[in-house]
PDB file of all heavy atoms in Angstrom:
ATOM      1  N   ILE A   2    -163.866 -73.906  78.188  1.00 98.00           N
ATOM      2  CA  ILE A   2    -165.061 -74.670  77.833  1.00 98.00           C
ATOM      3  C   ILE A   2    -166.293 -73.805  78.091  1.00 98.00           C
ATOM      4  O   ILE A   2    -166.530 -73.359  79.204  1.00 98.00           O
ATOM      5  CB  ILE A   2    -165.147 -75.965  78.655  1.00 98.00           C
ATOM      6  CG1 ILE A   2    -163.936 -76.859  78.359  1.00 98.00           C
ATOM      7  CG2 ILE A   2    -166.444 -76.720  78.344  1.00 98.00           C
ATOM      8  CD1 ILE A   2    -163.826 -78.052  79.274  1.00 98.00           C
ATOM      9  N   VAL A   3    -167.084 -73.572  77.046  1.00 98.00           N
ATOM     10  CA  VAL A   3    -168.251 -72.694  77.174  1.00 98.00           C
ATOM     11  C   VAL A   3    -169.570 -73.458  77.235  1.00 98.00           C
ATOM     12  O   VAL A   3    -170.612 -72.872  77.551  1.00 98.00           O
ATOM     13  CB  VAL A   3    -168.294 -71.674  76.014  1.00 98.00           C
ATOM     14  CG1 VAL A   3    -167.108 -70.715  76.113  1.00 98.00           C
ATOM     15  CG2 VAL A   3    -168.314 -72.378  74.655  1.00 98.00           C
ATOM     16  N   ALA A   4    -169.542 -74.763  76.942  1.00 97.00           N
ATOM     17  CA  ALA A   4    -170.784 -75.555  77.003  1.00 97.00           C
ATOM     18  C   ALA A   4    -170.447 -77.030  77.069  1.00 97.00           C
ATOM     19  O   ALA A   4    -169.490 -77.493  76.447  1.00 97.00           O
ATOM     20  CB  ALA A   4    -171.663 -75.281  75.782  1.00 97.00           C
ATOM     21  N   VAL A   5    -171.260 -77.766  77.831  1.00 97.00           N
ATOM     22  CA  VAL A   5    -171.227 -79.231  77.849  1.00 97.00           C
ATOM     23  C   VAL A   5    -172.673 -79.698  77.744  1.00 97.00           C
ATOM     24  O   VAL A   5    -173.511 -79.325  78.565  1.00 97.00           O
ATOM     25  CB  VAL A   5    -170.591 -79.788  79.145  1.00 97.00           C
ATOM     26  CG1 VAL A   5    -170.639 -81.316  79.142  1.00 97.00           C
ATOM     27  CG2 VAL A   5    -169.153 -79.297  79.303  1.00 97.00           C
ATOM     28  N   THR A   6    -172.988 -80.489  76.737  1.00 97.00           N
ATOM     29  CA  THR A   6    -174.379 -80.908  76.526  1.00 97.00           C
ATOM     30  C   THR A   6    -174.509 -82.432  76.549  1.00 97.00           C
ATOM     31  O   THR A   6    -173.570 -83.162  76.251  1.00 97.00           O
ATOM     32  CB  THR A   6    -174.934 -80.375  75.191  1.00 97.00           C
ATOM     33  OG1 THR A   6    -174.224 -80.988  74.100  1.00 97.00           O
ATOM     34  CG2 THR A   6    -174.792 -78.869  75.107  1.00 97.00           C
ATOM     35  N   ASP A   7    -175.706 -82.884  76.875  1.00 95.00           N
ATOM     36  CA  ASP A   7    -176.042 -84.305  76.943  1.00 95.00           C
ATOM     37  C   ASP A   7    -177.350 -84.505  76.187  1.00 95.00           C
ATOM     38  O   ASP A   7    -178.396 -83.998  76.602  1.00 95.00           O
ATOM     39  CB  ASP A   7    -176.187 -84.737  78.409  1.00 95.00           C
ATOM     40  CG  ASP A   7    -176.535 -86.208  78.585  1.00 95.00           C
ATOM     41  OD1 ASP A   7    -176.936 -86.859  77.598  1.00 95.00           O
ATOM     42  OD2 ASP A   7    -176.416 -86.708  79.712  1.00 95.00           O
ATOM     43  N   ALA A   8    -177.297 -85.264  75.081  1.00 95.00           N
ATOM     44  CA  ALA A   8    -178.480 -85.451  74.239  1.00 95.00           C
ATOM     45  C   ALA A   8    -179.350 -86.606  74.701  1.00 95.00           C
ATOM     46  O   ALA A   8    -180.397 -86.879  74.079  1.00 95.00           O
ATOM     47  CB  ALA A   8    -178.060 -85.675  72.791  1.00 95.00           C
ATOM     48  N   GLY A   9    -178.960 -87.301  75.752  1.00 92.00           N
ATOM     49  CA  GLY A   9    -179.755 -88.442  76.205  1.00 92.00           C
ATOM     50  C   GLY A   9    -179.912 -89.506  75.143  1.00 92.00           C
ATOM     51  O   GLY A   9    -180.900 -90.228  75.104  1.00 92.00           O
ATOM     52  N   TYR A  10    -178.902 -89.606  74.275  1.00 85.00           N
ATOM     53  CA  TYR A  10    -178.888 -90.557  73.167  1.00 85.00           C
ATOM     54  C   TYR A  10    -180.042 -90.349  72.189  1.00 85.00           C
ATOM     55  O   TYR A  10    -180.502 -91.282  71.531  1.00 85.00           O
ATOM     56  CB  TYR A  10    -178.868 -92.008  73.662  1.00 85.00           C
ATOM     57  CG  TYR A  10    -177.724 -92.796  73.056  1.00 85.00           C
ATOM     58  CD1 TYR A  10    -176.718 -93.317  73.836  1.00 85.00           C
ATOM     59  CD2 TYR A  10    -177.662 -93.004  71.671  1.00 85.00           C
ATOM     60  CE1 TYR A  10    -175.663 -94.030  73.282  1.00 85.00           C
ATOM     61  CE2 TYR A  10    -176.626 -93.702  71.103  1.00 85.00           C
ATOM     62  CZ  TYR A  10    -175.627 -94.224  71.913  1.00 85.00           C
ATOM     63  OH  TYR A  10    -174.592 -94.912  71.361  1.00 85.00           O
ATOM     64  N   ARG A  11    -180.504 -89.118  72.047  1.00 92.00           N
ATOM     65  CA  ARG A  11    -181.570 -88.796  71.096  1.00 92.00           C
ATOM     66  C   ARG A  11    -181.014 -87.852  70.043  1.00 92.00           C
ATOM     67  O   ARG A  11    -180.544 -86.747  70.365  1.00 92.00           O
ATOM     68  CB  ARG A  11    -182.764 -88.163  71.813  1.00 92.00           C
ATOM     69  CG  ARG A  11    -183.406 -89.052  72.866  1.00 92.00           C
ATOM     70  CD  ARG A  11    -184.689 -88.447  73.418  1.00 92.00           C
ATOM     71  NE  ARG A  11    -184.462 -87.113  73.970  1.00 92.00           N
ATOM     72  CZ  ARG A  11    -184.028 -86.872  75.211  1.00 92.00           C
ATOM     73  NH1 ARG A  11    -183.763 -87.882  76.025  1.00 92.00           N
ATOM     74  NH2 ARG A  11    -183.857 -85.644  75.649  1.00 92.00           N
ATOM     75  N   ALA A  12    -181.073 -88.264  68.787  1.00 94.00           N
ATOM     76  CA  ALA A  12    -180.502 -87.477  67.703  1.00 94.00           C
ATOM     77  C   ALA A  12    -181.154 -86.102  67.602  1.00 94.00           C
ATOM     78  O   ALA A  12    -180.478 -85.088  67.378  1.00 94.00           O
ATOM     79  CB  ALA A  12    -180.641 -88.229  66.384  1.00 94.00           C
ATOM     80  N   GLU A  13    -182.486 -86.056  67.776  1.00 96.00           N
ATOM     81  CA  GLU A  13    -183.176 -84.762  67.645  1.00 96.00           C
ATOM     82  C   GLU A  13    -182.741 -83.786  68.733  1.00 96.00           C
ATOM     83  O   GLU A  13    -182.616 -82.576  68.485  1.00 96.00           O
ATOM     84  CB  GLU A  13    -184.697 -84.950  67.674  1.00 96.00           C
ATOM     85  CG  GLU A  13    -185.271 -85.513  68.970  1.00 96.00           C
ATOM     86  CD  GLU A  13    -185.239 -87.020  69.065  1.00 96.00           C
ATOM     87  OE1 GLU A  13    -184.546 -87.657  68.242  1.00 96.00           O
ATOM     88  OE2 GLU A  13    -185.919 -87.566  69.968  1.00 96.00           O
ATOM     89  N   GLN A  14    -182.460 -84.293  69.920  1.00 97.00           N
ATOM     90  CA  GLN A  14    -181.981 -83.431  70.985  1.00 97.00           C
ATOM     91  C   GLN A  14    -180.570 -82.951  70.681  1.00 97.00           C
ATOM     92  O   GLN A  14    -180.224 -81.796  70.940  1.00 97.00           O
ATOM     93  CB  GLN A  14    -181.990 -84.179  72.328  1.00 97.00           C
ATOM     94  CG  GLN A  14    -181.482 -83.346  73.513  1.00 97.00           C
ATOM     95  CD  GLN A  14    -182.279 -82.075  73.729  1.00 97.00           C
ATOM     96  OE1 GLN A  14    -183.499 -82.126  73.857  1.00 97.00           O
ATOM     97  NE2 GLN A  14    -181.607 -80.925  73.765  1.00 97.00           N
ATOM     98  N   GLN A  15    -179.760 -83.821  70.104  1.00 97.00           N
ATOM     99  CA  GLN A  15    -178.392 -83.415  69.791  1.00 97.00           C
ATOM    100  C   GLN A  15    -178.362 -82.348  68.698  1.00 97.00           C
ATOM    101  O   GLN A  15    -177.540 -81.421  68.750  1.00 97.00           O
ATOM    102  CB  GLN A  15    -177.552 -84.616  69.369  1.00 97.00           C
ATOM    103  CG  GLN A  15    -176.063 -84.291  69.314  1.00 97.00           C
ATOM    104  CD  GLN A  15    -175.216 -85.527  69.253  1.00 97.00           C
ATOM    105  OE1 GLN A  15    -175.475 -86.435  68.476  1.00 97.00           O
ATOM    106  NE2 GLN A  15    -174.180 -85.576  70.085  1.00 97.00           N
ATOM    107  N   VAL A  16    -179.236 -82.463  67.740  1.00 97.00           N
ATOM    108  CA  VAL A  16    -179.331 -81.413  66.713  1.00 97.00           C
ATOM    109  C   VAL A  16    -179.652 -80.075  67.374  1.00 97.00           C
ATOM    110  O   VAL A  16    -179.045 -79.039  67.048  1.00 97.00           O
ATOM    111  CB  VAL A  16    -180.400 -81.778  65.667  1.00 97.00           C
ATOM    112  CG1 VAL A  16    -180.705 -80.576  64.762  1.00 97.00           C
ATOM    113  CG2 VAL A  16    -179.938 -82.967  64.829  1.00 97.00           C
ATOM    114  N   ALA A  17    -180.581 -80.087  68.309  1.00 98.00           N
ATOM    115  CA  ALA A  17    -180.919 -78.858  69.037  1.00 98.00           C
ATOM    116  C   ALA A  17    -179.718 -78.369  69.850  1.00 98.00           C
ATOM    117  O   ALA A  17    -179.459 -77.159  69.922  1.00 98.00           O
ATOM    118  CB  ALA A  17    -182.117 -79.094  69.951  1.00 98.00           C
ATOM    119  N   ASP A  18    -178.973 -79.303  70.457  1.00 98.00           N
ATOM    120  CA  ASP A  18    -177.789 -78.928  71.241  1.00 98.00           C
ATOM    121  C   ASP A  18    -176.742 -78.261  70.353  1.00 98.00           C
ATOM    122  O   ASP A  18    -176.119 -77.254  70.738  1.00 98.00           O
ATOM    123  CB  ASP A  18    -177.175 -80.167  71.902  1.00 98.00           C
ATOM    124  CG  ASP A  18    -178.048 -80.745  72.999  1.00 98.00           C
ATOM    125  OD1 ASP A  18    -178.950 -80.026  73.484  1.00 98.00           O
ATOM    126  OD2 ASP A  18    -177.825 -81.915  73.364  1.00 98.00           O
ATOM    127  N   ILE A  19    -176.529 -78.823  69.166  1.00 98.00           N
ATOM    128  CA  ILE A  19    -175.545 -78.252  68.239  1.00 98.00           C
ATOM    129  C   ILE A  19    -175.943 -76.831  67.853  1.00 98.00           C
ATOM    130  O   ILE A  19    -175.109 -75.909  67.817  1.00 98.00           O
ATOM    131  CB  ILE A  19    -175.398 -79.140  66.984  1.00 98.00           C
ATOM    132  CG1 ILE A  19    -174.781 -80.490  67.368  1.00 98.00           C
ATOM    133  CG2 ILE A  19    -174.536 -78.452  65.927  1.00 98.00           C
ATOM    134  CD1 ILE A  19    -174.881 -81.537  66.273  1.00 98.00           C
ATOM    135  N   GLU A  20    -177.220 -76.631  67.577  1.00 97.00           N
ATOM    136  CA  GLU A  20    -177.696 -75.293  67.203  1.00 97.00           C
ATOM    137  C   GLU A  20    -177.526 -74.304  68.355  1.00 97.00           C
ATOM    138  O   GLU A  20    -177.131 -73.150  68.150  1.00 97.00           O
ATOM    139  CB  GLU A  20    -179.161 -75.375  66.767  1.00 97.00           C
ATOM    140  CG  GLU A  20    -179.349 -76.139  65.463  1.00 97.00           C
ATOM    141  CD  GLU A  20    -180.809 -76.355  65.100  1.00 97.00           C
ATOM    142  OE1 GLU A  20    -181.679 -76.090  65.965  1.00 97.00           O
ATOM    143  OE2 GLU A  20    -181.078 -76.800  63.972  1.00 97.00           O
ATOM    144  N   SER A  21    -177.787 -74.753  69.574  1.00 97.00           N
ATOM    145  CA  SER A  21    -177.611 -73.875  70.735  1.00 97.00           C
ATOM    146  C   SER A  21    -176.145 -73.523  70.941  1.00 97.00           C
ATOM    147  O   SER A  21    -175.798 -72.378  71.245  1.00 97.00           O
ATOM    148  CB  SER A  21    -178.167 -74.554  71.994  1.00 97.00           C
ATOM    149  OG  SER A  21    -179.560 -74.755  71.875  1.00 97.00           O
ATOM    150  N   VAL A  22    -175.292 -74.523  70.778  1.00 97.00           N
ATOM    151  CA  VAL A  22    -173.850 -74.306  70.956  1.00 97.00           C
ATOM    152  C   VAL A  22    -173.313 -73.348  69.902  1.00 97.00           C
ATOM    153  O   VAL A  22    -172.448 -72.510  70.190  1.00 97.00           O
ATOM    154  CB  VAL A  22    -173.121 -75.667  70.906  1.00 97.00           C
ATOM    155  CG1 VAL A  22    -171.632 -75.472  70.625  1.00 97.00           C
ATOM    156  CG2 VAL A  22    -173.315 -76.422  72.213  1.00 97.00           C
ATOM    157  N   MET A  23    -173.813 -73.459  68.683  1.00 98.00           N
ATOM    158  CA  MET A  23    -173.331 -72.580  67.614  1.00 98.00           C
ATOM    159  C   MET A  23    -173.531 -71.107  67.953  1.00 98.00           C
ATOM    160  O   MET A  23    -172.722 -70.248  67.561  1.00 98.00           O
ATOM    161  CB  MET A  23    -174.042 -72.912  66.302  1.00 98.00           C
ATOM    162  CG  MET A  23    -173.538 -74.178  65.633  1.00 98.00           C
ATOM    163  SD  MET A  23    -174.422 -74.509  64.084  1.00 98.00           S
ATOM    164  CE  MET A  23    -173.977 -73.067  63.116  1.00 98.00           C
ATOM    165  N   ALA A  24    -174.595 -70.815  68.706  1.00 97.00           N
ATOM    166  CA  ALA A  24    -174.850 -69.425  69.095  1.00 97.00           C
ATOM    167  C   ALA A  24    -173.746 -68.873  69.996  1.00 97.00           C
ATOM    168  O   ALA A  24    -173.550 -67.659  70.069  1.00 97.00           O
ATOM    169  CB  ALA A  24    -176.201 -69.336  69.806  1.00 97.00           C
ATOM    170  N   LEU A  25    -173.005 -69.761  70.658  1.00 98.00           N
ATOM    171  CA  LEU A  25    -171.903 -69.349  71.532  1.00 98.00           C
ATOM    172  C   LEU A  25    -170.603 -69.144  70.757  1.00 98.00           C
ATOM    173  O   LEU A  25    -169.618 -68.664  71.311  1.00 98.00           O
ATOM    174  CB  LEU A  25    -171.688 -70.398  72.630  1.00 98.00           C
ATOM    175  CG  LEU A  25    -172.890 -70.675  73.528  1.00 98.00           C
ATOM    176  CD1 LEU A  25    -172.581 -71.823  74.492  1.00 98.00           C
ATOM    177  CD2 LEU A  25    -173.287 -69.418  74.302  1.00 98.00           C
ATOM    178  N   LYS A  26    -170.599 -69.537  69.494  1.00 97.00           N
ATOM    179  CA  LYS A  26    -169.462 -69.373  68.586  1.00 97.00           C
ATOM    180  C   LYS A  26    -168.150 -69.939  69.154  1.00 97.00           C
ATOM    181  O   LYS A  26    -167.133 -69.241  69.210  1.00 97.00           O
ATOM    182  CB  LYS A  26    -169.285 -67.897  68.220  1.00 97.00           C
ATOM    183  CG  LYS A  26    -170.486 -67.315  67.493  1.00 97.00           C
ATOM    184  CD  LYS A  26    -170.273 -65.876  67.091  1.00 97.00           C
ATOM    185  CE  LYS A  26    -171.471 -65.338  66.339  1.00 97.00           C
ATOM    186  NZ  LYS A  26    -171.299 -63.899  65.940  1.00 97.00           N
ATOM    187  N   PRO A  27    -168.143 -71.207  69.568  1.00 98.00           N
ATOM    188  CA  PRO A  27    -166.891 -71.797  70.044  1.00 98.00           C
ATOM    189  C   PRO A  27    -165.927 -72.008  68.885  1.00 98.00           C
ATOM    190  O   PRO A  27    -166.347 -72.174  67.729  1.00 98.00           O
ATOM    191  CB  PRO A  27    -167.337 -73.130  70.640  1.00 98.00           C
ATOM    192  CG  PRO A  27    -168.532 -73.495  69.835  1.00 98.00           C
ATOM    193  CD  PRO A  27    -169.242 -72.196  69.556  1.00 98.00           C
ATOM    194  N   ASP A  28    -164.649 -72.003  69.178  1.00 98.00           N
ATOM    195  CA  ASP A  28    -163.660 -72.291  68.147  1.00 98.00           C
ATOM    196  C   ASP A  28    -163.606 -73.787  67.848  1.00 98.00           C
ATOM    197  O   ASP A  28    -163.318 -74.188  66.716  1.00 98.00           O
ATOM    198  CB  ASP A  28    -162.276 -71.815  68.613  1.00 98.00           C
ATOM    199  CG  ASP A  28    -162.240 -70.318  68.865  1.00 98.00           C
ATOM    200  OD1 ASP A  28    -162.300 -69.561  67.882  1.00 98.00           O
ATOM    201  OD2 ASP A  28    -162.190 -69.924  70.039  1.00 98.00           O
ATOM    202  N   ILE A  29    -163.873 -74.598  68.876  1.00 98.00           N
ATOM    203  CA  ILE A  29    -163.725 -76.047  68.769  1.00 98.00           C
ATOM    204  C   ILE A  29    -164.985 -76.734  69.293  1.00 98.00           C
ATOM    205  O   ILE A  29    -165.594 -76.270  70.257  1.00 98.00           O
ATOM    206  CB  ILE A  29    -162.519 -76.530  69.600  1.00 98.00           C
ATOM    207  CG1 ILE A  29    -161.227 -75.921  69.074  1.00 98.00           C
ATOM    208  CG2 ILE A  29    -162.412 -78.046  69.640  1.00 98.00           C
ATOM    209  CD1 ILE A  29    -160.099 -75.995  70.073  1.00 98.00           C
ATOM    210  N   MET A  30    -165.348 -77.835  68.670  1.00 98.00           N
ATOM    211  CA  MET A  30    -166.414 -78.696  69.192  1.00 98.00           C
ATOM    212  C   MET A  30    -165.877 -80.118  69.272  1.00 98.00           C
ATOM    213  O   MET A  30    -165.403 -80.669  68.275  1.00 98.00           O
ATOM    214  CB  MET A  30    -167.650 -78.658  68.293  1.00 98.00           C
ATOM    215  CG  MET A  30    -168.809 -79.524  68.804  1.00 98.00           C
ATOM    216  SD  MET A  30    -170.187 -79.656  67.615  1.00 98.00           S
ATOM    217  CE  MET A  30    -170.757 -77.956  67.557  1.00 98.00           C
ATOM    218  N   ILE A  31    -165.923 -80.712  70.465  1.00 98.00           N
ATOM    219  CA  ILE A  31    -165.573 -82.109  70.659  1.00 98.00           C
ATOM    220  C   ILE A  31    -166.875 -82.862  70.867  1.00 98.00           C
ATOM    221  O   ILE A  31    -167.663 -82.519  71.750  1.00 98.00           O
ATOM    222  CB  ILE A  31    -164.631 -82.294  71.862  1.00 98.00           C
ATOM    223  CG1 ILE A  31    -163.341 -81.511  71.660  1.00 98.00           C
ATOM    224  CG2 ILE A  31    -164.317 -83.772  72.079  1.00 98.00           C
ATOM    225  CD1 ILE A  31    -162.401 -81.539  72.850  1.00 98.00           C
ATOM    226  N   THR A  32    -167.112 -83.897  70.061  1.00 98.00           N
ATOM    227  CA  THR A  32    -168.460 -84.460  70.053  1.00 98.00           C
ATOM    228  C   THR A  32    -168.496 -85.892  69.550  1.00 98.00           C
ATOM    229  O   THR A  32    -167.598 -86.344  68.828  1.00 98.00           O
ATOM    230  CB  THR A  32    -169.374 -83.584  69.160  1.00 98.00           C
ATOM    231  OG1 THR A  32    -170.708 -84.080  69.183  1.00 98.00           O
ATOM    232  CG2 THR A  32    -168.868 -83.558  67.717  1.00 98.00           C
ATOM    233  N   VAL A  33    -169.538 -86.610  69.957  1.00 94.00           N
ATOM    234  CA  VAL A  33    -169.843 -87.924  69.401  1.00 94.00           C
ATOM    235  C   VAL A  33    -171.302 -87.925  68.963  1.00 94.00           C
ATOM    236  O   VAL A  33    -172.187 -87.578  69.750  1.00 94.00           O
ATOM    237  CB  VAL A  33    -169.563 -89.062  70.419  1.00 94.00           C
ATOM    238  CG1 VAL A  33    -170.270 -88.821  71.738  1.00 94.00           C
ATOM    239  CG2 VAL A  33    -169.981 -90.416  69.863  1.00 94.00           C
ATOM    240  N   PRO A  34    -171.577 -88.239  67.707  1.00 93.00           N
ATOM    241  CA  PRO A  34    -172.963 -88.229  67.229  1.00 93.00           C
ATOM    242  C   PRO A  34    -173.808 -89.315  67.903  1.00 93.00           C
ATOM    243  O   PRO A  34    -173.372 -90.458  68.042  1.00 93.00           O
ATOM    244  CB  PRO A  34    -172.825 -88.520  65.730  1.00 93.00           C
ATOM    245  CG  PRO A  34    -171.410 -88.170  65.382  1.00 93.00           C
ATOM    246  CD  PRO A  34    -170.624 -88.504  66.609  1.00 93.00           C
ATOM    247  N   ALA A  35    -175.017 -88.954  68.286  1.00 89.00           N
ATOM    248  CA  ALA A  35    -175.961 -89.947  68.792  1.00 89.00           C
ATOM    249  C   ALA A  35    -176.410 -90.867  67.657  1.00 89.00           C
ATOM    250  O   ALA A  35    -176.735 -92.034  67.885  1.00 89.00           O
ATOM    251  CB  ALA A  35    -177.169 -89.251  69.418  1.00 89.00           C
TER     252      ALA A  35
END
């Protein structure tokens, strides 16, 4: 596991989290959309 993020139930924060995570180039993303 290379990242765990919490969007605080805000969609705009989750979009930013997804972009940050993409920079780490994970093979898998487990997620629930805000």
